[in-house]
Amino acid sequence: MPQQQLVIAGGNGFLGQELARYFRQLGYRVVVLGRGASAGPDYQRWDGRTLGPWAAALEGADALINLAGRTVDCRYTAANKHEIMASRTESTRVLGAAVAACTVPPRVWLNSSTATIYADTPGDQPANTEAAGIIGEGFSVEVAQAWEAAFAACPAPATRKVALRTAIVLGRDGGAFPVMARLARRGLGSPHGNGRQWMSWLHITDFCRAVEFLLMKPDAAGAFNLCAPQPVPNHTFMALLSHELRPWLRLPQPQWLLEIGAFVLRTETELILKSRKVYPQRLLELGFAFEFPTCETAVRDLLSPS
Ligand SMILES: NC(=O)c1ccc[n+]([C@@H]2O[C@H](COP(=O)([O-])OP(=O)(O)OC[C@H]3O[C@@H](n4cnc5c(N)ncnc54)[C@H](OP(=O)(O)O)[C@@H]3O)[C@@H](O)[C@H]2O)c1
């Protein structure tokens, strides 16, 4: 059987590197599209906006995964907002043009989106499912909607398309978890604000497994929530971190202090204060089994010596 080929656009970041490692171990040839200088035959340089020689990598590929997007961990200045939006919509559009130009297009295209597309969901309101979830408002939601709309607008009749509404992915080597663990060790392991906001999350292993699952399921198409089935309130998550790390100090983190901290660190409090309560209904209905369904098992695993 010929080697399966997977193309990951924006594959140099946290999720891309984890996926590339995971699929290479499964025997796939993984080609990464990135903006940096060429780094070997399995790397194609692109600018995320215009067609170029990189597009040949999609010809006959089994799957395309697009993760390109400027990090949202920044101040929402006009320039940053523009880049956050354009890096997602333009990369999606140009990939659509590249797929349309293929003689044999990729069998399946997974395009990143975000679980932040749903409205702030406080208290005991039901978690957002794909079918009944409430779409929110504000800048991050507008980005998510424009991203999914750009994806939906790409004509790709021979390619199965899946939008990944991914929650906060917890891993060892990137993303939010190492930062939160480091801060907790230094005394910032108390709840953020009142700690009642929900946190939807996903262990990195289950992220990779869910991507593999969606690639393999011929009837999986449309939007999928990629999150563990048990969201937790922020205070529960922070208590778990503190329980495992046992810091000698736990300073309070009221909202006003977080606002000052976010300004100094050039980021936004929305990343930790928005109440994200999402449920992976479609993944579960298709039979996906989580290796880390509870936050306890995920946090314990990520903090254990690897
Ligand atoms: N990590 C999470 O918890 C999480 C949760 C939900 C959704 N997501 C989404 O999943 C995607 C990947 O997340 P990640 O954590 O791996 O992010 P990341 O580490 O910041 O990686 C994002 C990648 O996007 C590329 N990129 C940045 N600006 C770009 C631009 N202007 N044009 C084209 N490419 C650009 C970068 O590639 P080069 O610099 O090599 O070109 C980078 O490797 C992002 O779109 C993110 O919004 C992530």
Side-chain angles (χ1 to χ4, degrees):
M1 195 171 135
Q3 190 182 28
Q4 305 230 76
Q5 179 158 320
L6 173 65
V7 179
I8 309 182
N12 278 327
F14 164 47
L15 298 182
Q17 288 188 31
E18 296 279 358
L19 282 181
R21 199 174 309 133
Y22 181 87
F23 280 97
R24 280 180 183 134
Q25 275 171 9
L26 293 179
Y28 280 70
R29 177 177 179 216
V30 178
V31 176
V32 165
L33 307 182
R35 292 167 306 156
S38 178
D42 289 342
Y43 182 89
Q44 290 288 328
R45 194 172 191 181
W46 76 330
D47 65 2
R49 281 180 289 141
T50 40
L51 281 174
W54 59 265
L58 300 188
E59 188 64 57
D62 291 280
L64 164 65
I65 302 175
N66 177 26
L67 300 170
R70 188 220 192 281
T71 179
V72 293
D73 185 9
C74 60
R75 289 303 278 181
Y76 290 168
T77 60
N80 286 345
K81 280 165 102 170
H82 174 78
E83 214 189 320
I84 287 169
M85 179 71 89
S87 59
R88 288 170 172 77
T89 53
E90 288 180 12
S91 59
T92 301
R93 274 188 211 114
V94 76
L95 285 168
V99 167
C102 285
T103 310
V104 182
R107 200 171 41 77
V108 49
W109 174 6
L110 271 51
N111 209 62
S112 186
S113 174
T114 168
T116 293
I117 197 165
Y118 296 112
D120 187 282
T121 310
D124 51 11
Q125 282 185 28
N128 293 286
T129 61
E130 295 89 345
I134 297 169
I135 303 299
E137 52 190 40
F139 171 65
S140 328
V141 172
E142 284 163 22
V143 171
Q145 287 181 297
W147 206 358
E148 290 195 6
F151 184 43
C154 293
T159 300
R160 179 165 57 84
K161 289 160 71 187
V162 179
L164 307 174
R165 291 184 176 170
T166 310
I168 298 166
V169 181
L170 307 179
R172 280 197 173 86
D173 303 321
F177 187 76
V179 179
M180 291 172 98
R182 193 168 58 244
L183 291 173
R185 278 192 188 96
R186 293 178 184 168
L188 296 176
S190 54
H192 295 128
N194 64 25
R196 289 199 289 269
Q197 68 277 26
W198 288 91
M199 177 177 158
S200 277
W201 58 276
L202 181 65
H203 189 291
I204 184 67
T205 300
D206 278 331
F207 173 76
C208 295
R209 292 176 64 249
V211 166
E212 184 195 359
F213 181 85
L214 291 171
L215 289 186
M216 295 304 177
K217 278 274 172 200
D219 47 347
F224 275 79
N225 292 342
L226 263 62
C227 56
Q230 294 186 23
V232 287
N234 174 276
H235 63 78
T236 302
F237 181 79
M238 298 310 282
L240 264 171
L241 263 189
S242 292
H243 178 77
E244 295 298 320
L245 296 171
R246 303 199 178 278
W248 59 274
L249 184 67
R250 268 187 101 197
L251 298 165
Q253 302 189 80
Q255 186 168 346
W256 64 266
L257 192 60
L258 292 172
E259 299 290 352
I260 295 172
F263 181 80
V264 172
L265 297 171
R266 311 309 296 153
T267 186
E268 293 283 341
T269 52
E270 184 200 15
L271 301 177
I272 46 176
L273 294 182
K274 179 172 176 180
S275 193
R276 297 173 166 90
K277 198 177 184 190
V278 183
Y279 188 72
Q281 180 139 355
R282 295 196 69 204
L283 269 181
L284 291 171
E285 279 171 2
L286 282 183
F288 182 73
F290 287 84
E291 196 171 317
F292 297 95
T294 69
C295 210
E296 287 84 347
T297 53
V299 167
R300 220 162 274 150
D301 175 74
L302 293 171
L303 293 176
S304 66
S306 53

